[in-house]
Amino acid sequence: MAHAVVRGLHPAEAPLAAAALAAAFQDDPVMSWCFPQAERRAAVLAEGFELFLRRIWLPHDECFTSDGLAGAACWLPPGHWRVPLRTQLALL
């Protein structure tokens, strides 16, 4: 049985990881309610995940993927889960 190798996500891979996350959440009930049009949902999720990857998750170096970029797992380290107001405003 082959095992996937988990490794850190490189910032240059953010678009591919965002696409994988967007695909994973495409049929999520909450995302479907927030963005009822499937085509728009796909684009909004991909753009949103890439923005969050670049501005929130990747700077903490807690993003992981596999060699095939089948998905991504991103965390904020303990004590850093609150996104500062300045960062929230910049995301707008």
Side-chain angles (χ1 to χ4, degrees):
M1 175 185 291
H3 292 89
V5 174
V6 175
R7 61 174 178 78
L9 180 69
H10 189 275
E13 297 171 316
L16 294 172
L21 290 167
F25 283 88
Q26 177 67 21
D27 296 323
D28 178 77
V30 173
M31 293 298 124
S32 297
W33 180 81
C34 290
F35 309 105
Q37 297 171 322
E39 299 81 24
R40 181 170 184 268
R41 184 180 330 119
V44 168
L45 288 176
E47 290 173 14
F49 278 120
E50 186 169 355
L51 181 66
F52 274 53
L53 279 161
R54 291 190 186 282
R55 301 280 180 94
I56 296 174
W57 298 321
L58 280 167
H60 291 283
D61 202 29
E62 292 292 333
C63 295
F64 302 91
T65 190
S66 63
D67 283 335
L69 276 142
C74 304
W75 291 277
L76 293 175
H80 295 276
W81 63 270
R82 282 196 181 122
V83 177
L85 181 59
R86 170 189 257 163
T87 304
Q88 291 180 40
L89 292 173
L91 290 172
L92 293 175

